[in-house]
Amino acid sequence: MNRIDDYIRIKLELFEGPLDLLLHLIRSQQIDISAISIARITDQYLETIELMKELDLDVAGDFLVMAATLILIKSRMLLPPSENTADNLEEEDPREELIRRLKQYELFKEASLKLEDMEQIRHRMYSRPSTPDEIQGGKDWIIDVSLVDLLTALKDIIIRRKDVIAHIVRPSPVSVREKMTRILELIRENGTLLFSEVFDDASSRQDVIATFLAILELVRTQLIRARQRCLMSDIRLVLCKPRQE
Amino acid sequence: MAEMSDSLFFSLCEALLFSSSEPISETVILRIASEYLQDDEVGPLSEFIEWYNQRQSGLKIVKLAGGWQIVTRPEFSDAVRRLKTTTRKARFSRASLETLAIVAYRQPITAPEIENIRGVECSGVLKSLLDKKLITILGRKHGPGNPLLYGTTPQFLMVFGLDELQSLPSLEEFERDLADSDTKYLEIPFPQTDDISSTSNLESVDEK
Amino acid sequence: MAEMSDSLFFSLCEALLFSSSEPISETVILRIASEYLQDDEVGPLSEFIEWYNQRQSGLKIVKLAGGWQIVTRPEFSDAVRRLKTTTRKARFSRASLETLAIVAYRQPITAPEIENIRGVECSGVLKSLLDKKLITILGRKHGPGNPLLYGTTPQFLMVFGLDELQSLPSLEEFERDLADSDTKYLEIPFPQTDDISSTSNLESVDEK
């Protein structure tokens, strides 16, 4: 492969994505984003994708999705205005959404260049190196830890103890099992329990959901039965008789 | 120039700021100063900072992430770097910078929203930004799927030399810049290539 | 007082000494100075040190282990120590973080249950988390030995920037955004519910 091919390859690899590539094509035509010719930009875009394939570059799915979008817009631009909207409504420009996204992307790209400058300036200023005595406990803690650290720790445990446990990662502070135990206790104490009463001590929506699931589970595993005297009357929960009886 | 009555306060501030490797808040400085000095000796912090920054010195005080910190002046950065054996860390990739810019201006924001703006999948970039503690999880969005929300960290402010998020240049500024510079496009025939070291020799081809 | 010709040299020396946590030898300072300054700008180091140490300041330069180092003046040592105890960071050991994570995601939980999950004894870690007010005792579990039940505190929510416990992201969500291709955590059987088989339903109900 010659030097020019190498050159093109590297340039193509540098596009951050389909929007980046489109923005480049538009800039090299020196036109305003709002004034893009979809037909022309689509042709150029497809040519570039072809070239990337020829150079055995991995053309990510995102690029192909954009190709399809461009072709779709191009075809809609060719359609005559539909009859039912022609009279009163302004036909929407099929390019509108694409133009909006390109402008938005361009803005953040600009912002990212500014961030890069800021980081370079900041990096030229050195602070005091930290010393070991700054670490460890004091009275007013500044706790230097984030949710990401917490999740990473959780991940580590799971990897390390995968064989032993696989049940610690649910963020529900309300355990369904606890609810099941509680409901069984209540029924045992009182002989029966009204469905509506079960939710009396539920303190949150989560709690209600857990309680409800606990009832379903108890019914499913045939530990309790739910009975109703008549339609719309309160449901009464009772213990099932043990199977061996 | 400081009067003699300020000197003890100034010296104490200098000692405190010097001894910390991270920014210290004005509240903490003044609280400690008032514990060790007479009330009339404790001046406004701004007076000390102004005095400090106008002296002939290799150092200056900057405001970072809401606190004050002494740093070396940028003009000595090459010399200081000579002292440190550590080489300059790899700069941020364009993908990281774009993603950071989006998170910084649009936080709290979800991964799909970021991907929609960038037009590409960003999980790898998000992971590396999380690892560098430049972004963090802020909670969840209420809505379908309850996706996680991301935002920038104090570390982000530190790395980019910002006092607070409000110090970021406004997006409208960029909009104006872009509108003004329609003609500059030709000067940027291709994306900048400083992320990939192997392109450095090819850059010259570009310029010929 | 320093003459103008010395200023740049003085500033450079100050920046170099400031940025090092260890003593620097005269040789190193002068070598770096001569790389960045004109020959006639580089003065003897002793002149800089003398000037530096007679200014009104919270700092001074001392000779330590054959090199020079800036330190805070002894009269401010109490204040500096005070600062360190005020702003010290609670760095988390792996053990603390893991324990905290288990408590957060499985509360209310007993010490034996935590130990079973981590595979190690953790009373010391629990004590330190209690001291930091990140976890608290919620009560006792009904059962053999009536062990104490632990859960997280409002302080925990504050530290992690959460409005409520329900906002804690699940590991699945975290992984979904980051779609880490090397480590397929998602393949690990998740809430394998010693609880009940329908926990996965609970998750989806939650999210509605």
Side-chain angles (χ1 to χ4, degrees):
Chain A
M1 190 166 285
N2 66 34
R3 194 173 162 80
I4 292 298
D5 274 358
D6 265 346
Y7 174 62
I8 294 169
R9 165 192 290 270
I10 285 156
K11 289 298 184 191
L12 289 177
E13 275 174 349
L14 282 171
F15 289 115
E16 283 299 320
L19 289 172
D20 199 19
L21 172 55
L22 275 178
L23 206 56
H24 162 69
L25 294 174
I26 293 165
R27 284 181 171 184
S28 55
Q29 287 178 32
Q30 281 186 284
I31 48 167
D32 189 74
I33 291 176
S34 327
I36 50 169
S37 148
I38 286 293
R40 188 165 166 206
I41 211 80
T42 304
D43 291 346
Q44 288 182 334
Y45 183 89
L46 294 177
E47 274 167 30
T48 313
I49 299 280
E50 263 324 297
L51 186 60
M52 287 165 93
K53 283 184 181 158
E54 273 170 37
L55 290 165
D56 282 333
L57 290 178
D58 185 23
V59 180
D62 299 315
F63 282 95
L64 301 177
V65 170
M66 180 57 78
T69 308
L70 286 171
I71 293 166
L72 183 69
I73 297 174
K74 189 176 160 185
S75 66
R76 278 169 55 201
M77 301 279 291
L78 294 174
L79 290 175
S82 58
E83 280 177 15
N84 49 354
T85 54
D87 292 334
N88 39 13
L89 289 172
E90 185 101 351
E91 185 89 354
E92 188 189 298
D93 185 345
R95 303 174 307 169
E96 201 173 316
E97 170 65 7
L98 181 68
I99 288 170
R100 187 194 65 77
R101 285 189 68 192
L102 278 167
K103 284 188 165 166
Q104 179 179 248
Y105 177 71
E106 185 186 40
L107 199 58
F108 282 110
K109 206 174 140 111
E110 197 70 11
S112 75
L113 294 174
K114 177 69 181 172
L115 277 184
E116 188 172 33
D117 289 348
M118 287 162 59
E119 194 269 342
Q120 274 169 18
I121 293 165
R122 169 68 182 95
H123 193 82
R124 292 171 65 81
M125 301 183 289
Y126 290 87
S127 58
R128 285 277 296 162
S130 59
T131 47
D133 67 326
E134 283 178 63
I135 302 165
Q136 289 168 28
K139 215 169 72 186
D140 306 320
W141 299 87
I142 296 176
I143 292 172
D144 186 24
V145 70
S146 75
L147 268 184
V148 179
D149 298 317
L150 199 68
L151 284 159
T152 309
L154 199 58
K155 217 159 68 180
D156 290 349
I157 310 170
I158 292 165
I159 293 166
R160 199 179 64 227
R161 308 269 300 163
K162 161 160 82 175
D163 46 335
V164 187
I165 38 101
H167 60 274
I168 59 156
V169 279
R170 183 165 43 85
S172 166
V174 185
S175 153
V176 176
R177 172 180 249 189
E178 272 164 39
K179 288 288 165 199
M180 289 166 66
T181 318
R182 176 90 187 118
I183 293 166
L184 281 176
E185 266 174 23
L186 284 172
I187 300 178
R188 281 201 190 99
E189 279 168 23
N190 306 315
T192 177
L193 190 63
L194 287 178
F195 185 75
S196 53
E197 289 171 354
V198 181
F199 297 95
D200 283 354
D201 58 350
S203 57
S204 67
R205 201 174 54 93
Q206 299 275 326
D207 224 21
V208 171
I209 293 165
T211 305
F212 185 66
L213 287 172
I215 295 173
L216 290 183
E217 190 59 20
L218 287 168
V219 171
R220 191 180 71 80
T221 52
Q222 300 187 348
L223 285 163
I224 64 170
R225 269 183 302 163
R227 283 178 171 169
Q228 200 174 21
R229 292 252 163 88
C230 58
L231 207 63
M232 306 302 287
S233 73
D234 206 346
I235 297 168
R236 192 173 288 277
L237 305 174
V238 294
L239 287 181
C240 286
K241 295 203 176 87
R243 283 200 195 122
Q244 56 265 41
E245 278 187 18
Chain B
M1 193 58 200
E3 288 171 36
M4 221 43 202
S5 64
D6 297 325
S7 305
L8 207 55
F9 174 62
F10 283 14
S11 297
L12 179 62
C13 289
E14 187 181 19
L16 289 177
L17 285 167
F18 170 85
S19 65
S20 170
S21 62
E22 304 203 359
I24 322 176
S25 73
E26 175 158 357
T27 323
V28 167
I29 296 174
L30 293 181
R31 196 174 69 212
I32 295 179
S34 65
E35 281 174 30
Y36 293 92
L37 300 177
Q38 306 295 325
D39 278 358
D40 60 351
E41 289 175 322
V42 178
L45 189 65
S46 57
E47 220 169 81
F48 162 69
I49 289 163
E50 201 183 313
W51 166 77
Y52 194 89
N53 281 345
Q54 73 190 20
R55 13 165 254 150
Q56 171 82 31
S57 158
L59 311 174
K60 67 174 177 177
I61 298 174
V62 292
K63 194 160 196 197
L64 281 175
W68 297 97
Q69 184 169 23
I70 302 184
V71 295
T72 58
R73 288 186 189 261
E75 52 266 43
F76 300 109
S77 68
D78 289 344
V80 171
R81 200 170 308 139
R82 280 281 282 113
L83 191 64
K84 314 218 162 207
T85 44
T86 54
T87 48
R88 176 84 159 92
K89 280 175 294 185
R91 288 218 298 274
F92 292 96
S93 68
R94 286 189 44 228
S96 302
L97 283 167
E98 280 182 16
T99 308
L100 260 182
I102 293 167
V103 175
Y105 283 95
R106 286 284 160 86
Q107 60 189 308
I109 188 170
T110 66
E113 287 163 351
I114 299 168
E115 287 173 359
N116 184 276
I117 294 177
R118 290 196 60 224
V120 285
E121 200 269 339
C122 329
S123 57
V125 183
L126 280 179
K127 182 166 184 337
S128 112
L129 293 174
L130 281 166
D131 287 346
K132 289 179 185 148
K133 290 184 186 264
L134 293 167
I135 64 169
T136 187
I137 297 169
L138 295 179
R140 301 161 192 273
K141 186 168 180 158
H142 297 292
N146 287 357
L148 296 181
L149 288 166
Y150 296 93
T152 54
T153 59
Q155 172 75 357
F156 165 80
L157 296 177
M158 297 274 294
V159 167
F160 290 89
L162 291 162
D163 168 25
E164 48 177 10
L165 274 178
Q166 283 71 38
S167 320
L168 276 172
S170 76
L171 279 181
E172 288 75 40
E173 243 169 80
F174 298 126
E175 234 160 337
R176 226 174 305 127
D177 289 352
L178 284 168
D180 290 347
S181 60
D182 286 351
T183 47
K184 82 173 181 196
Y185 294 153
L186 250 202
E187 292 163 22
I188 319 167
F190 270 107
Q192 286 171 358
T193 53
D194 45 10
D195 295 329
I196 294 184
S197 53
S198 60
T199 51
S200 51
N201 51 344
L202 292 163
E203 284 286 72
S204 53
V205 176
D206 201 9
E207 283 157 48
K208 294 295 139 57
Chain C
M1 194 57 202
E3 288 171 37
M4 221 42 202
S5 64
D6 297 324
S7 306
L8 208 54
F9 173 63
F10 283 14
S11 297
L12 179 63
C13 289
E14 188 181 18
L16 287 177
L17 286 167
F18 169 85
S19 64
S20 169
S21 59
E22 283 168 24
I24 321 176
S25 74
E26 176 157 356
T27 326
V28 168
I29 296 173
L30 293 181
R31 195 179 65 219
I32 294 178
S34 64
E35 279 173 33
Y36 292 92
L37 300 176
Q38 306 294 325
D39 278 358
D40 59 353
E41 289 174 323
V42 179
L45 189 65
S46 57
E47 218 170 87
F48 162 69
I49 290 165
E50 200 182 316
W51 166 77
Y52 196 89
N53 282 345
Q54 73 190 20
R55 0 165 265 154
Q56 170 82 31
S57 157
L59 311 173
K60 65 173 181 178
I61 297 173
V62 293
K63 191 158 198 191
L64 278 174
W68 297 98
Q69 184 170 19
I70 302 182
V71 295
T72 52
R73 286 185 190 263
E75 54 266 45
F76 300 111
S77 64
D78 286 348
V80 168
R81 206 169 309 125
R82 182 79 179 77
L83 176 73
K84 304 243 162 184
T85 53
T86 307
T87 58
R88 263 179 200 170
K89 289 198 166 183
R91 295 283 156 87
F92 274 75
S93 63
R94 282 240 65 79
S96 317
L97 259 182
E98 287 189 6
T99 308
L100 188 59
I102 293 168
V103 174
Y105 282 87
R106 289 299 275 174
Q107 58 190 301
I109 188 169
T110 66
E113 286 163 350
I114 299 169
E115 286 168 2
N116 180 19
I117 292 172
R118 287 196 58 226
V120 284
E121 200 271 340
C122 45
S123 57
V125 180
L126 281 175
K127 186 177 175 325
S128 117
L129 291 173
L130 282 166
D131 286 347
K132 287 175 192 156
K133 299 206 187 323
L134 291 169
I135 65 170
T136 185
I137 294 165
L138 297 176
R140 285 183 182 278
K141 186 170 182 154
H142 299 293
N146 286 350
L148 294 174
L149 286 164
Y150 297 94
T152 54
T153 60
Q155 165 82 352
F156 167 83
L157 294 179
M158 273 181 51
V159 165
F160 291 91
L162 295 165
D163 49 349
E164 49 175 9
L165 266 183
Q166 281 74 38
S167 306
L168 263 182
S170 74
L171 204 47
E172 285 143 308
E173 290 172 297
F174 184 57
E175 293 301 325
R176 199 191 307 140
D177 278 1
L178 305 184
D180 203 336
S181 51
D182 314 335
T183 41
K184 297 238 166 45
Y185 301 111
L186 280 182
E187 287 173 12
I188 299 167
F190 262 121
Q192 259 214 12
T193 70
D194 69 290
D195 275 7
I196 52 164
S197 52
S198 55
T199 328
S200 49
N201 300 343
L202 177 60
E203 284 278 276
S204 55
V205 174
D206 274 356
E207 282 168 14
K208 291 299 135 60

